[in-house]
Amino acid sequence: MPSSSTELEETPVKAAAPAVEPKKKSKTPETLRGFRDVLADEQAAWEKVEELARSMTRAYGFNRIRMPVLEQTALFERSVGKDTDIVEKEMFTFVDQGGVKMTLRPEGTAQAARAYIEHGMVSQSQPVKLWYFEPFFRHERPQAGRYRQFYQWGLEAFGSDDPVVDAQIILMAQRFCRDLGLDVIVQVNSLGTPVSRKDYIAELAKYFKQHKKLLSETDLKRLTKNPLRLLDSKEPGMEALKADAPQIFDYLDEVSKQHFMKVLEYLDETEVPYALNPYLVRGLDYYTKTTFEIVLNTASSPELEGMALGGGGRYDGLVPLLGGRENTGGVGCAMGIERLVLAMKAANVMPPRRERTDVFFCQLGEGARRKGLAIYEKFREGGIAVGEAFGKGTLKAQLEIADKLKVPLAVILGQKEVLDGTIILRDMESGAQEIVDAAKVVGIVAKRLKDVADEKAAA
Ligand code: HAM
């Protein structure tokens, strides 16, 4: 349990925030701006991504954690940083009926750190490796690949300051994209320790102050609040200004330099394609030393070129900042699932829909339909995927659907078969039919399907 001095107090607030209706009012309710439904055409891709996440994390010894969607607002204010875009303008924060201020989580690292401390994971063998696959919320301006609710596959390793852990996480993220059929490059940087960064920030601010006249209003705000964010600026004219700005590598202390060199050596060794990017500061305050992003290379889709599919870095100060044990290092990464699926679409590597039907069930008449429901369930229990069209009355209409599904077998149940306790088995290719015992039909169909599969394999 956290010590009392570090506990995140619930923040009681007197008045509830005024309710605002969505701007666009329509008779039929629609999804909120920036929120979306994931429909059937994307499900196979989402499943592939989730299965790969599951198998990679198992192979690398990560344990799953499921965390609540709501947290105390103070958790993100303290860890992500009060002057970041996320905390300043993107959090969905509200006051509940009990007057407590809470936030729909905008990211998972702070949460995972909170859980690590709260559940005493410091006493487990270190590093403690956690993963999650969950929705997060940011009130951003919606655009391609940017939503207000999005899913992340996150990896967090607490309790080690070894650069090999940084490299392992970068490797996992890059291989993950590669295995999905995506061409990516890892951009890496080091932000050093808070002490060395302080000197760098001072120099950076000095440099940009000399060029104040060339800065946009947004960048002037960054200059006073968070000068490091100027390196992230895409405002006109900034490319040239940044090129002459002091470089962070020149300000790294010896420990950070050594750490960074080691990470790069491991990446070289494992042939992870990377590029150094001294402007990669990331939008969250908790980073120390290594930062990285997994960026899409795609000539086929210019609007997605350069999009960050994921990002992460080391956060050695985070656990101590939230009241955990001093010197508890950490490093992690999160991949954006919607962006991965967009990239898979653009790269034409969407997996086919997973619809398997082994046998089609046709029924004629009310009695057959009633009996059919029970037989259908027997097939399901036997692991046989059955197609049906209980809503269709005629045999012709049902066989047409069976044809479209390209099933090798159909079973037909009419009034007579119900009375006799039999069922008709139809070979869809030859049209040959035979009457079999209804009680044994699941076993007979299973055997026929196996024969068909064996024939196919031998061909
Ligand atoms: P982040 O860079 O803010 O880092 O988000 C990671 C990834 O989540 C992004 O690269 C992107 O793919 C996806 N993402 C972020 N915002 C949106 C959005 N509005 N719509 C769609 N996708 C989005 C973090 O969240 C850190 N917690 C990562 C981390 C883990 N660092 C250390 N451990």
Side-chain angles (χ1 to χ4, degrees), residues 228-384:
L228 215 49
R229 298 288 301 164
L230 285 164
L231 297 178
D232 232 9
S233 170
K234 309 270 181 306
E235 301 281 314
M238 277 302 273
E239 273 317 300
L241 265 188
K242 283 194 292 188
D244 288 336
Q247 295 259 317
I248 194 151
F249 295 138
D250 299 329
Y251 292 80
L252 292 184
D253 55 280
E254 204 44 41
V255 176
S256 304
K257 235 184 246 171
Q258 288 302 326
H259 186 97
F260 195 41
M261 295 316 291
K262 277 271 174 230
V263 174
L264 299 184
E265 274 171 32
Y266 292 129
L267 297 184
D268 285 330
E269 188 67 33
T270 46
E271 294 179 9
V272 170
Y274 68 86
L276 300 180
N277 179 356
Y279 306 135
L280 191 68
V281 290
R282 315 246 318 120
L284 306 106
D285 277 358
Y286 48 61
Y287 290 116
T288 53
K289 297 182 182 160
T290 321
T291 54
F292 61 90
E293 275 183 359
I294 315 290
V295 174
L296 188 63
N297 260 333
T298 168
S300 60
S301 189
E303 78 278 10
L304 302 184
E305 173 78 42
M307 183 172 74
L309 300 182
R314 183 160 274 284
Y315 41 81
D316 289 344
L318 182 58
V319 168
L321 177 80
L322 294 176
R325 195 176 63 181
E326 284 303 314
N327 302 321
T328 305
V331 57
C333 157
M335 308 298 300
I337 309 305
E338 287 79 2
R339 291 192 188 181
L340 287 165
V341 174
L342 267 180
M344 285 164 78
K345 272 190 196 159
N348 238 336
V349 292
M350 289 288 276
R353 280 196 194 194
R354 278 195 208 167
E355 279 162 8
R356 194 193 66 157
T357 312
D358 300 321
V359 60
F360 195 84
F361 183 85
C362 307
Q363 38 64 39
L364 295 163
E366 184 48 35
R369 203 170 294 142
R370 209 173 308 135
K371 186 98 183 142
L373 282 172
I375 293 180
Y376 190 97
E377 187 51 21
K378 285 221 165 66
F379 274 116
R380 194 193 62 78
E381 285 166 2
I384 296 171

Side-chain angles (χ1 to χ4, degrees), residues 107-109 132 138 140 145-147 150 152 155-156 282 284 286-287 308-313 315 332-334 336 339:
E107 65 101 47
T109 311
Y132 47 85
R138 293 183 195 172
E140 293 195 80
R146 182 161 295 165
Y147 306 100
F150 55 94
Q152 282 186 347
L155 300 166
E156 312 290 354
R282 315 246 318 120
L284 306 106
Y286 48 61
Y287 290 116
L309 300 182
Y315 41 81
C333 157
R339 291 192 188 181

